[in-house]
Amino acid sequence: QESAILKALKGENLVISTGTGSGKTESFLIPILDYLVKQKERGELGPGVRALLLYPMNALANDQIERLRNLLDRYPFITYGRYIGETEEKEKKAREKYYKYNNFYPKVNELISREKMRETPPNILFTNYSMFEYLMIHPNDKSLFTGEYSIHWKYIVLDEAHVYNGAKGIEVALLLRRLKAYLPNELQYILTSATLGDGEKDLPD
């Protein structure tokens, strides 16, 4: 974990392969949050995606956003949002749905509706690969990575990277290339998996 964090802080692209529950999430969250806090200190932090966290399943994204919700409770200047198929379009309906499931309303830094995320894109964006494709082709959502907000992108995180093989892997690779074509800055990639191999066997195709 220490090695991964230090390499990430140097701007290196990483593949983090280690067992379940051994700290993969912290290996990319700590560098991302460090980057955002430093931007805040320099007066550079505002709306706009800095980190895209791509998950193969909504359940994984939900678990991570729960963790981030607790972590960022005292850091309201760092915004985050989950943009998946279940995400409501309108803010009012999103708040009603959020309260129904959680019995409390979101803090100011958790963006929960599509219209809000288009208006002021979150610093950390959670989604899945199929919704990522939707965002790339849907005209209303291009504000996330074009225009004034395109200059802020920094990190791309693929959790459970071993699932992106075969046709699915090709599709995600092409989507990432399309995203890169929109953005003026170099991106830093971090991939995590508990099942990429033990260093002695060949990795999956």
Side-chain angles (χ1 to χ4, degrees):
Q1 191 181 72
E2 179 185 4
S3 176
I5 291 170
L6 291 174
K7 288 178 182 293
L9 290 173
K10 292 178 182 178
E12 296 183 25
N13 298 321
L14 301 177
V15 177
I16 304 168
S17 181
T18 182
T20 301
S22 57
K24 292 187 297 296
T25 299
E26 287 74 17
S27 295
F28 62 80
L29 266 187
I30 290 173
I32 290 171
L33 296 179
D34 176 75
Y35 178 77
L36 293 171
V37 169
K38 287 177 179 175
Q39 277 207 320
K40 173 65 174 177
E41 291 173 349
R42 295 193 300 265
E44 299 173 356
L45 187 62
V49 177
R50 272 68 171 178
L52 172 69
L53 276 54
L54 201 63
Y55 291 89
M57 295 179 293
N58 289 341
L60 293 172
N62 294 342
D63 288 344
Q64 295 293 5
I65 209 163
E66 286 276 354
R67 181 183 300 192
L68 198 63
R69 185 180 293 147
N70 294 327
L71 196 60
L72 296 183
D73 186 53
R74 293 174 294 172
Y75 302 92
F77 53 86
I78 297 177
T79 60
Y80 61 98
R82 180 187 58 176
Y83 202 132
I84 59 175
E86 301 169 5
T87 304
E88 294 289 344
E89 174 68 32
K90 297 296 183 180
E91 180 73 11
K92 182 179 179 181
K93 190 170 183 180
R95 287 180 64 83
E96 292 171 353
K97 182 178 178 180
Y98 188 100
Y99 186 84
K100 178 181 178 180
Y101 284 102
N102 298 290
N103 205 32
F104 58 85
Y105 288 110
K107 297 292 180 65
V108 65
N109 56 341
E110 183 176 0
L111 309 186
I112 59 171
S113 68
R114 299 186 184 196
E115 65 175 3
K116 192 68 174 178
M117 281 186 266
R118 293 185 193 119
E119 180 185 341
T120 55
N123 303 143
I124 303 173
L125 177 64
F126 291 79
T127 192
N128 55 59
Y129 77 92
S130 58
M131 199 65 192
F132 180 40
E133 181 178 23
Y134 172 87
L135 294 174
M136 293 296 296
I137 63 176
H138 197 250
N140 289 344
D141 294 302
K142 285 192 175 181
S143 61
L144 293 170
F145 38 79
T146 59
E148 63 179 308
Y149 297 120
S150 65
I151 63 172
H152 299 302
W153 283 69
K154 168 72 173 174
Y155 296 97
I156 305 290
V157 177
L158 277 72
D159 195 44
E160 303 295 337
H162 60 274
V163 306
Y164 302 113
N165 56 13
K168 186 188 295 183
I170 294 170
E171 181 182 356
V172 172
L174 290 173
L175 287 172
L176 290 173
R177 288 180 184 178
R178 186 187 298 177
L179 173 64
K180 186 177 179 181
Y182 281 118
L183 306 175
N185 301 332
E186 284 295 317
L187 297 171
Q188 184 175 348
Y189 299 89
I190 302 176
L191 283 65
T192 73
S193 175
T195 56
L196 276 178
D198 58 8
E200 297 179 358
K201 299 177 182 178
D202 290 337
L203 297 180
D205 293 335

Short mmCIF file of all heavy atoms in Angstrom, two decimals, residues 84-114:
data_model
loop_
_atom_site.label_atom_id
_atom_site.label_comp_id
_atom_site.label_asym_id
_atom_site.label_seq_id
_atom_site.Cartn_x
_atom_site.Cartn_y
_atom_site.Cartn_z
N ILE A 84 -25.10 6.67 -12.51
CA ILE A 84 -25.41 5.34 -13.03
C ILE A 84 -26.84 5.37 -13.56
O ILE A 84 -27.50 6.42 -13.53
CB ILE A 84 -25.24 4.25 -11.95
CG1 ILE A 84 -26.15 4.54 -10.75
CG2 ILE A 84 -23.79 4.15 -11.51
CD1 ILE A 84 -26.13 3.45 -9.69
N GLY A 85 -27.32 4.23 -14.05
CA GLY A 85 -28.66 4.19 -14.61
C GLY A 85 -29.74 4.59 -13.62
O GLY A 85 -30.77 5.15 -14.01
N GLU A 86 -29.51 4.32 -12.34
CA GLU A 86 -30.50 4.63 -11.31
C GLU A 86 -30.51 6.10 -10.90
O GLU A 86 -31.42 6.55 -10.20
CB GLU A 86 -30.23 3.78 -10.06
CG GLU A 86 -30.28 2.28 -10.32
CD GLU A 86 -29.75 1.49 -9.14
OE1 GLU A 86 -29.44 2.11 -8.09
OE2 GLU A 86 -29.62 0.26 -9.26
N THR A 87 -29.51 6.85 -11.32
CA THR A 87 -29.42 8.26 -10.92
C THR A 87 -30.56 9.06 -11.53
O THR A 87 -30.77 9.05 -12.74
CB THR A 87 -28.07 8.86 -11.36
OG1 THR A 87 -27.01 8.07 -10.83
CG2 THR A 87 -27.93 10.29 -10.87
N GLU A 88 -31.29 9.76 -10.68
CA GLU A 88 -32.45 10.53 -11.13
C GLU A 88 -32.02 11.76 -11.92
O GLU A 88 -30.96 12.34 -11.67
CB GLU A 88 -33.30 10.97 -9.94
CG GLU A 88 -33.96 9.83 -9.18
CD GLU A 88 -35.08 9.17 -9.97
OE1 GLU A 88 -35.55 9.79 -10.96
OE2 GLU A 88 -35.49 8.06 -9.60
N GLU A 89 -32.86 12.16 -12.84
CA GLU A 89 -32.58 13.35 -13.66
C GLU A 89 -32.73 14.63 -12.85
O GLU A 89 -31.83 15.47 -12.83
CB GLU A 89 -33.54 13.38 -14.86
CG GLU A 89 -33.45 14.64 -15.71
CD GLU A 89 -32.15 14.74 -16.47
OE1 GLU A 89 -31.58 13.72 -16.84
OE2 GLU A 89 -31.70 15.89 -16.68
N LYS A 90 -33.85 14.78 -12.15
CA LYS A 90 -34.17 16.02 -11.45
C LYS A 90 -33.73 15.96 -9.98
O LYS A 90 -33.84 14.94 -9.32
CB LYS A 90 -35.67 16.31 -11.52
CG LYS A 90 -36.18 16.53 -12.94
CD LYS A 90 -35.54 17.77 -13.57
CE LYS A 90 -36.09 18.06 -14.94
NZ LYS A 90 -35.48 19.27 -15.56
N GLU A 91 -33.27 17.11 -9.49
CA GLU A 91 -32.76 17.20 -8.13
C GLU A 91 -33.83 16.89 -7.09
O GLU A 91 -33.58 16.17 -6.11
CB GLU A 91 -32.18 18.59 -7.89
CG GLU A 91 -31.61 18.82 -6.50
CD GLU A 91 -30.30 18.09 -6.27
OE1 GLU A 91 -29.72 17.58 -7.24
OE2 GLU A 91 -29.85 18.05 -5.10
N LYS A 92 -35.04 17.40 -7.30
CA LYS A 92 -36.11 17.20 -6.31
C LYS A 92 -36.43 15.73 -6.13
O LYS A 92 -36.51 15.22 -5.01
CB LYS A 92 -37.37 17.96 -6.74
CG LYS A 92 -38.51 17.84 -5.74
CD LYS A 92 -39.73 18.63 -6.19
CE LYS A 92 -40.87 18.46 -5.19
NZ LYS A 92 -42.09 19.21 -5.62
N LYS A 93 -36.59 15.03 -7.24
CA LYS A 93 -36.91 13.60 -7.17
C LYS A 93 -35.74 12.82 -6.60
O LYS A 93 -35.93 11.85 -5.85
CB LYS A 93 -37.28 13.08 -8.56
CG LYS A 93 -37.85 11.67 -8.53
CD LYS A 93 -38.42 11.28 -9.88
CE LYS A 93 -39.04 9.89 -9.82
NZ LYS A 93 -39.60 9.49 -11.14
N ALA A 94 -34.53 13.23 -6.94
CA ALA A 94 -33.33 12.56 -6.42
C ALA A 94 -33.26 12.68 -4.90
O ALA A 94 -32.90 11.72 -4.21
CB ALA A 94 -32.09 13.14 -7.07
N ARG A 95 -33.58 13.84 -4.37
CA ARG A 95 -33.54 14.05 -2.92
C ARG A 95 -34.61 13.22 -2.22
O ARG A 95 -34.37 12.66 -1.14
CB ARG A 95 -33.71 15.54 -2.59
CG ARG A 95 -32.48 16.37 -2.93
CD ARG A 95 -32.69 17.85 -2.58
NE ARG A 95 -32.87 18.04 -1.15
CZ ARG A 95 -31.88 18.15 -0.27
NH1 ARG A 95 -30.62 18.05 -0.69
NH2 ARG A 95 -32.12 18.35 1.00
N GLU A 96 -35.78 13.13 -2.83
CA GLU A 96 -36.85 12.33 -2.24
C GLU A 96 -36.45 10.85 -2.19
O GLU A 96 -36.66 10.16 -1.19
CB GLU A 96 -38.13 12.49 -3.06
CG GLU A 96 -38.75 13.88 -2.95
CD GLU A 96 -39.89 14.10 -3.94
OE1 GLU A 96 -40.11 13.20 -4.80
OE2 GLU A 96 -40.57 15.13 -3.86
N LYS A 97 -35.87 10.37 -3.28
CA LYS A 97 -35.43 8.98 -3.36
C LYS A 97 -34.29 8.72 -2.38
O LYS A 97 -34.27 7.68 -1.71
CB LYS A 97 -34.99 8.67 -4.79
CG LYS A 97 -34.55 7.25 -5.02
CD LYS A 97 -34.18 7.05 -6.48
CE LYS A 97 -33.68 5.65 -6.76
NZ LYS A 97 -33.33 5.47 -8.20
N TYR A 98 -33.36 9.65 -2.28
CA TYR A 98 -32.22 9.52 -1.38
C TYR A 98 -32.70 9.41 0.07
O TYR A 98 -32.23 8.55 0.83
CB TYR A 98 -31.32 10.74 -1.55
CG TYR A 98 -30.00 10.67 -0.82
CD1 TYR A 98 -28.83 10.33 -1.49
CD2 TYR A 98 -29.90 10.96 0.55
CE1 TYR A 98 -27.60 10.27 -0.83
CE2 TYR A 98 -28.70 10.91 1.22
CZ TYR A 98 -27.55 10.57 0.52
OH TYR A 98 -26.35 10.52 1.18
N TYR A 99 -33.63 10.27 0.45
CA TYR A 99 -34.13 10.26 1.83
C TYR A 99 -34.89 8.96 2.12
O TYR A 99 -34.78 8.40 3.23
CB TYR A 99 -35.04 11.46 2.08
CG TYR A 99 -35.46 11.59 3.51
CD1 TYR A 99 -34.64 12.22 4.44
CD2 TYR A 99 -36.67 11.06 3.96
CE1 TYR A 99 -35.01 12.33 5.78
CE2 TYR A 99 -37.06 11.17 5.28
CZ TYR A 99 -36.22 11.80 6.19
OH TYR A 99 -36.60 11.89 7.51
N LYS A 100 -35.62 8.48 1.13
CA LYS A 100 -36.39 7.25 1.32
C LYS A 100 -35.48 6.07 1.65
O LYS A 100 -35.80 5.25 2.51
CB LYS A 100 -37.19 6.95 0.04
CG LYS A 100 -38.00 5.67 0.11
CD LYS A 100 -38.74 5.43 -1.20
CE LYS A 100 -39.50 4.11 -1.16
NZ LYS A 100 -40.23 3.86 -2.45
N TYR A 101 -34.32 6.01 1.00
CA TYR A 101 -33.41 4.88 1.20
C TYR A 101 -32.45 5.08 2.37
O TYR A 101 -31.98 4.09 2.95
CB TYR A 101 -32.61 4.62 -0.08
CG TYR A 101 -33.42 3.93 -1.16
CD1 TYR A 101 -33.94 4.65 -2.23
CD2 TYR A 101 -33.68 2.56 -1.10
CE1 TYR A 101 -34.70 4.02 -3.21
CE2 TYR A 101 -34.43 1.93 -2.07
CZ TYR A 101 -34.93 2.66 -3.13
OH TYR A 101 -35.68 2.04 -4.10
N ASN A 102 -32.15 6.32 2.72
CA ASN A 102 -31.13 6.58 3.74
C ASN A 102 -31.68 7.17 5.04
O ASN A 102 -30.97 7.19 6.04
CB ASN A 102 -30.07 7.52 3.18
CG ASN A 102 -29.34 6.93 1.99
OD1 ASN A 102 -28.55 6.00 2.13
ND2 ASN A 102 -29.59 7.48 0.81
N ASN A 103 -32.87 7.72 4.96
CA ASN A 103 -33.49 8.38 6.12
C ASN A 103 -32.74 9.65 6.54
O ASN A 103 -32.81 10.08 7.68
CB ASN A 103 -33.61 7.42 7.31
CG ASN A 103 -34.73 7.83 8.25
OD1 ASN A 103 -35.75 8.38 7.83
ND2 ASN A 103 -34.53 7.58 9.53
N PHE A 104 -31.97 10.19 5.62
CA PHE A 104 -31.34 11.50 5.81
C PHE A 104 -31.05 12.07 4.44
O PHE A 104 -31.04 11.34 3.43
CB PHE A 104 -30.05 11.40 6.64
CG PHE A 104 -29.00 10.49 6.07
CD1 PHE A 104 -28.10 10.93 5.11
CD2 PHE A 104 -28.91 9.16 6.50
CE1 PHE A 104 -27.12 10.10 4.58
CE2 PHE A 104 -27.94 8.32 5.98
CZ PHE A 104 -27.04 8.79 5.02
N TYR A 105 -30.86 13.39 4.37
CA TYR A 105 -30.58 14.05 3.10
C TYR A 105 -29.07 14.11 2.87
O TYR A 105 -28.28 14.08 3.82
CB TYR A 105 -31.18 15.45 3.09
CG TYR A 105 -32.68 15.47 2.97
CD1 TYR A 105 -33.48 15.84 4.05
CD2 TYR A 105 -33.31 15.10 1.79
CE1 TYR A 105 -34.87 15.85 3.96
CE2 TYR A 105 -34.69 15.11 1.67
CZ TYR A 105 -35.47 15.48 2.76
OH TYR A 105 -36.83 15.49 2.65
N PRO A 106 -28.64 14.20 1.62
CA PRO A 106 -27.20 14.24 1.34
C PRO A 106 -26.55 15.51 1.84
O PRO A 106 -27.18 16.57 1.90
CB PRO A 106 -27.15 14.15 -0.20
CG PRO A 106 -28.45 14.72 -0.66
CD PRO A 106 -29.45 14.30 0.38
N LYS A 107 -25.27 15.40 2.18
CA LYS A 107 -24.50 16.58 2.52
C LYS A 107 -24.27 17.42 1.26
O LYS A 107 -24.46 16.96 0.13
CB LYS A 107 -23.16 16.18 3.14
CG LYS A 107 -23.29 15.43 4.45
CD LYS A 107 -23.82 16.35 5.55
CE LYS A 107 -23.97 15.64 6.88
NZ LYS A 107 -22.70 15.20 7.45
N VAL A 108 -23.83 18.64 1.45
CA VAL A 108 -23.71 19.58 0.35
C VAL A 108 -22.73 19.11 -0.72
O VAL A 108 -22.85 19.48 -1.89
CB VAL A 108 -23.31 20.97 0.89
CG1 VAL A 108 -21.91 20.93 1.50
CG2 VAL A 108 -23.39 22.03 -0.19
N ASN A 109 -21.76 18.27 -0.35
CA ASN A 109 -20.75 17.87 -1.33
C ASN A 109 -21.07 16.57 -2.07
O ASN A 109 -20.29 16.13 -2.91
CB ASN A 109 -19.37 17.75 -0.67
CG ASN A 109 -19.34 16.79 0.50
OD1 ASN A 109 -20.37 16.46 1.07
ND2 ASN A 109 -18.16 16.34 0.86
N GLU A 110 -22.22 15.95 -1.78
CA GLU A 110 -22.64 14.76 -2.53
C GLU A 110 -23.69 15.15 -3.56
O GLU A 110 -24.81 15.54 -3.22
CB GLU A 110 -23.19 13.68 -1.59
CG GLU A 110 -23.56 12.41 -2.34
CD GLU A 110 -24.02 11.27 -1.45
OE1 GLU A 110 -24.06 11.46 -0.22
OE2 GLU A 110 -24.34 10.19 -1.99
N LEU A 111 -23.34 15.04 -4.83
CA LEU A 111 -24.25 15.39 -5.91
C LEU A 111 -25.02 14.14 -6.31
O LEU A 111 -24.43 13.10 -6.59
CB LEU A 111 -23.47 15.95 -7.10
CG LEU A 111 -22.48 17.08 -6.78
CD1 LEU A 111 -21.88 17.65 -8.07
CD2 LEU A 111 -23.15 18.19 -5.98
N ILE A 112 -26.35 14.24 -6.37
CA ILE A 112 -27.16 13.03 -6.52
C ILE A 112 -28.07 13.04 -7.74
O ILE A 112 -28.72 12.04 -8.01
CB ILE A 112 -28.01 12.79 -5.25
CG1 ILE A 112 -28.94 13.98 -4.99
CG2 ILE A 112 -27.12 12.51 -4.04
CD1 ILE A 112 -29.96 13.73 -3.88
N SER A 113 -28.12 14.14 -8.48
CA SER A 113 -28.98 14.18 -9.67
C SER A 113 -28.14 14.45 -10.92
O SER A 113 -27.08 15.07 -10.86
CB SER A 113 -30.06 15.27 -9.53
OG SER A 113 -29.48 16.56 -9.57
N ARG A 114 -28.65 14.01 -12.06
CA ARG A 114 -27.94 14.21 -13.31
C ARG A 114 -27.85 15.69 -13.66
O ARG A 114 -26.81 16.16 -14.12
CB ARG A 114 -28.64 13.44 -14.44
CG ARG A 114 -28.69 11.94 -14.22
CD ARG A 114 -29.25 11.22 -15.42
NE ARG A 114 -29.36 9.79 -15.14
CZ ARG A 114 -29.53 8.85 -16.05
NH1 ARG A 114 -29.63 9.20 -17.33
NH2 ARG A 114 -29.62 7.58 -15.72
#
